[in-house]
Amino acid sequence: MTFAREMQVKQRVNEIRSPMTGVRFHVYETGDARYYLFRVLDPWGCEGGVEFPVRKADLTRDARRALRGGR
């Protein structure tokens, strides 16, 4: 079984929090350089079962800054 390249985790980039919902995510580089993979964290900081690819071009300015700057 093969997975789409944007779902293949390479390396963790950072942890970010959605300013609108407060939900935290671990963000990973993927096998496709155009995507990040976001994994939802539960309230205790453990990765849940929800993960989804996000095109880097679709990120908000604040998310790009947080991922690039390590905040």
Side-chain angles (χ1 to χ4, degrees):
M1 170 166 50
T2 59
F3 291 99
R5 290 177 50 144
E6 63 270 13
M7 296 298 287
Q8 296 174 359
V9 170
K10 296 292 184 184
Q11 181 176 349
R12 186 170 147 202
V13 177
N14 206 347
E15 179 180 315
I16 64 172
R17 180 185 302 266
S18 168
M20 295 177 64
T21 64
V23 174
R24 295 183 306 153
F25 301 91
H26 279 166
V27 182
Y28 294 87
E29 290 180 350
T30 69
D32 187 331
R34 297 172 296 170
Y35 286 86
Y36 283 122
L37 187 69
F38 281 62
R39 289 187 172 167
V40 177
L41 298 175
D42 67 17
W44 300 277
C46 298
E47 290 183 0
V50 179
E51 59 184 32
F52 52 92
V54 176
R55 283 183 353 140
K56 291 178 179 180
D58 293 340
L59 293 172
T60 64
R61 181 177 38 213
D62 290 338
R64 276 195 300 272
R65 188 175 334 142
L67 291 171
R68 188 175 52 243
R71 304 189 302 162

